[in-house]
Amino acid sequence: MLKSTRNALFGAALVGISFSGQAYAETTLNALFMAQAAYSEADVRAMTEAFTKANPDIKVNLEFVPYEGLHDKTVLAQGSGGGYDVVLFDVIWPAEYATNKVLVDVTDRITDEMKKGVLPGAWTTVEYDGKRYGMPWILDTKYLFYNKEILEKAGITAPPKTWDELAEQAKTIKDKGLLQNPIAWSWSQAEAAICDYTTLVSAYGGKFIEGGKPAFTTGGGLDALNYMVSSYTSGITNPNSKEFLEEDVRKVFQNGEAAFALNWTYMYNLANDPKESKVAGKVGVVPAPGVAGKSEVSAVNGSMGLGITSTSQHPEEAWKYIVHMTSQPTQNAYAKLSLPIWASSYEDASVTKGQEELIAAAKRGLAAMYPRPTTPKYQELSTALQQAIQEALLGQTSAEDALKTAAENSGL
């Protein structure tokens, strides 16, 4: 497996799609993106084509991988001494990437216009230890989507404002025979499950790390996992959620097989597209709920950035490409699957038209974004928590014991 991965990386410059304004391009950039949530492959190709038309001396090779392969592809390429010039990275990786010199510090490249124009919270996506390692690109959190028609049939007049209300409404829908398992989550043993768990941790006022040590074994961290287990064992949650990633959740929801689903921004317009979805025109979206006495809404920081690798031979051209991809005109033109990082974009009718409900949810959700732990040992911690969630959901151990084991295996 490792050998084939290295071979694939060795040929990375030959893989993917190339865009060039002219055949004699002097510089070739290799860029790594994900094929999953947020911007579609078609969007990224179109953005890139606009860049190469304006810069005919630069060619860009695009490679797309599932989110689950993004981190390892980036790190393995660094180890081989080549690979990519520009990489997409998750908000959870700057600590590791900065510590291990995977990304270039671009603090001095960021202009005053960027500093003033980008939403303040978006910068946390690319920061570690007071420095910035790229430009924020995807500004995202998970929202609660709901099927308006199913809620109406159940006699429910408003979506839930608390997680307990969500469970009650789902039980009503189940009891009335409208759906057997009304809620869909992405609880596969992957980072997706940590995003759902973090959303709940934020609602319950929990902490991941305190004083450098795990703090999720009690309080809000334990309450969050207990909620997940209760939702799963009571039958209000689709049992296949334990194997779902975000795209599985989207397909179930837009087939009309879920009344509620937690997912990223991109699902709103796809689930409302009659060509894609059976529930087009019936999709509601609100911030993820809160917990009475503790929070009004909840949200995970699921944002991502674009950075220059330390092995890139073309940092100037790479930065020029990143500036184009993250620019306000580019982001405004592709705001249907990922909302812009620029504050003034939210006053632009071309951005808000047709997705007013989503923008209203975003204003509250994005302001409440809660971070996953900032630690160079994040991958180790995440893997331990993923296993804990699975074991607790399957009843192999209690939520309390599962989290204690995760803490012991977290590397903290």
Side-chain angles (χ1 to χ4, degrees):
M1 180 68 182
L2 280 174
K3 186 176 179 184
S4 64
T5 303
R6 289 196 192 99
N7 287 341
L9 289 165
F10 182 74
L14 303 175
V15 176
I17 300 122
S18 300
F19 287 113
S20 91
Q22 305 206 10
Y24 57 79
E26 294 172 11
T27 303
T28 299
L29 297 176
N30 296 315
L32 183 65
F33 291 90
M34 70 170 178
Q36 208 150 309
Y39 298 116
S40 66
E41 287 186 39
D43 284 351
V44 177
R45 290 189 191 111
M47 293 175 188
T48 302
E49 190 168 16
F51 172 77
T52 53
K53 277 183 179 174
N55 298 274
D57 57 332
I58 303 174
K59 184 170 77 170
V60 184
N61 289 330
L62 299 179
E63 185 175 351
F64 297 89
V65 295
Y67 170 86
E68 288 69 32
L70 200 54
H71 172 275
D72 290 355
K73 271 268 191 184
T74 301
V75 173
L76 285 169
Q78 291 294 108
S80 69
Y84 308 107
D85 299 281
V86 174
V87 291
L88 178 64
F89 61 91
D90 202 349
V91 62
I92 51 182
W93 298 331
E96 177 194 346
Y97 284 5
T99 303
N100 297 331
K101 296 181 170 54
V102 174
L103 293 178
V104 173
D105 174 5
V106 297
T107 308
D108 293 341
R109 293 181 181 269
I110 294 166
T111 65
D112 286 341
E113 185 185 9
M114 292 170 176
K115 290 173 187 173
K116 291 173 186 171
V118 172
L119 288 160
W123 288 114
T124 62
T125 309
V126 299
E127 288 175 336
Y128 179 66
D129 203 19
K131 295 177 180 176
R132 291 171 176 171
Y133 291 88
M135 276 293 287
W137 188 47
I138 296 168
L139 184 63
D140 215 349
T141 190
K142 283 197 163 184
Y143 300 95
L144 183 69
F145 293 86
Y146 63 99
N147 184 311
K148 293 178 178 179
E149 185 178 60
I150 293 174
L151 265 64
E152 192 178 331
K153 285 180 180 176
I156 298 167
T157 56
K161 291 185 177 177
T162 68
W163 288 104
D164 282 347
E165 280 182 20
L166 172 65
E168 290 162 14
Q169 291 187 8
K171 187 175 185 304
T172 298
I173 290 164
K174 182 180 175 71
D175 290 347
K176 291 193 173 184
L178 294 167
L179 281 174
Q180 185 64 29
N181 310 112
I183 313 174
W185 313 73
S186 40
W187 289 349
S188 175
Q189 194 164 332
E191 189 61 31
I194 304 302
C195 293
D196 284 10
Y197 174 64
T198 302
T199 304
L200 286 159
V201 170
S202 83
Y204 281 100
K207 293 180 180 177
F208 281 103
I209 301 173
E210 197 165 27
K213 298 295 179 187
F216 51 78
T217 57
T218 59
L222 179 57
D223 291 341
L225 186 52
N226 276 328
Y227 183 91
M228 293 168 79
V229 172
S230 172
S231 178
Y232 185 79
T233 56
S234 68
I236 58 174
T237 279
N238 187 317
N240 294 321
S241 290
K242 69 182 186 299
E243 291 138 23
F244 283 170
L245 292 172
E246 290 91 344
E247 276 292 83
D248 303 304
V249 170
R250 177 173 75 89
K251 287 166 187 170
V252 166
F253 182 80
Q254 65 188 36
N255 278 339
E257 297 163 12
F260 300 104
L262 202 65
N263 214 334
W264 306 107
T265 305
Y266 84 112
M267 188 167 95
Y268 184 72
N269 281 294
L270 290 178
N272 265 319
D273 181 354
K275 295 175 190 170
E276 288 263 350
S277 172
K278 294 178 182 175
V279 299
K282 304 169 188 174
V283 180
V285 61
V286 289
V291 169
K294 293 186 177 179
S295 57
E296 289 190 5
V297 299
S298 53
V300 57
N301 189 344
S303 304
M304 303 183 82
L306 291 173
I308 307 167
T309 66
S310 58
T311 54
S312 173
Q313 300 298 304
H314 309 290
E316 297 303 322
E317 292 87 349
W319 180 248
K320 195 172 186 180
Y321 176 59
I322 288 171
V323 169
H324 165 79
M325 297 295 278
T326 60
S327 71
Q328 191 166 16
T330 298
Q331 288 217 309
N332 285 3
Y334 296 91
K336 295 300 181 189
L337 295 181
S338 185
L339 295 174
I341 60 171
W342 302 90
S344 63
S345 293
Y346 294 84
E347 311 307 320
D348 187 325
S350 68
V351 170
T352 60
K353 188 178 180 183
Q355 51 182 10
E356 291 83 359
E357 199 173 342
L358 174 64
I359 299 289
K363 283 181 176 175
R364 299 185 70 206
L366 294 175
M369 286 197 301
Y370 190 81
R372 284 163 284 170
T374 302
T375 169
K377 295 189 175 177
Y378 182 81
Q379 292 301 111
E380 214 172 324
L381 171 59
S382 175
T383 300
L385 279 170
Q386 290 169 32
Q387 188 169 345
I389 290 167
Q390 283 287 313
E391 289 175 358
L393 290 176
L394 295 171
Q396 294 170 352
T397 184
S398 68
E400 189 172 8
D401 288 343
L403 290 175
K404 282 179 182 174
T405 301
E408 290 166 6
N409 297 331
S410 67
L412 297 173

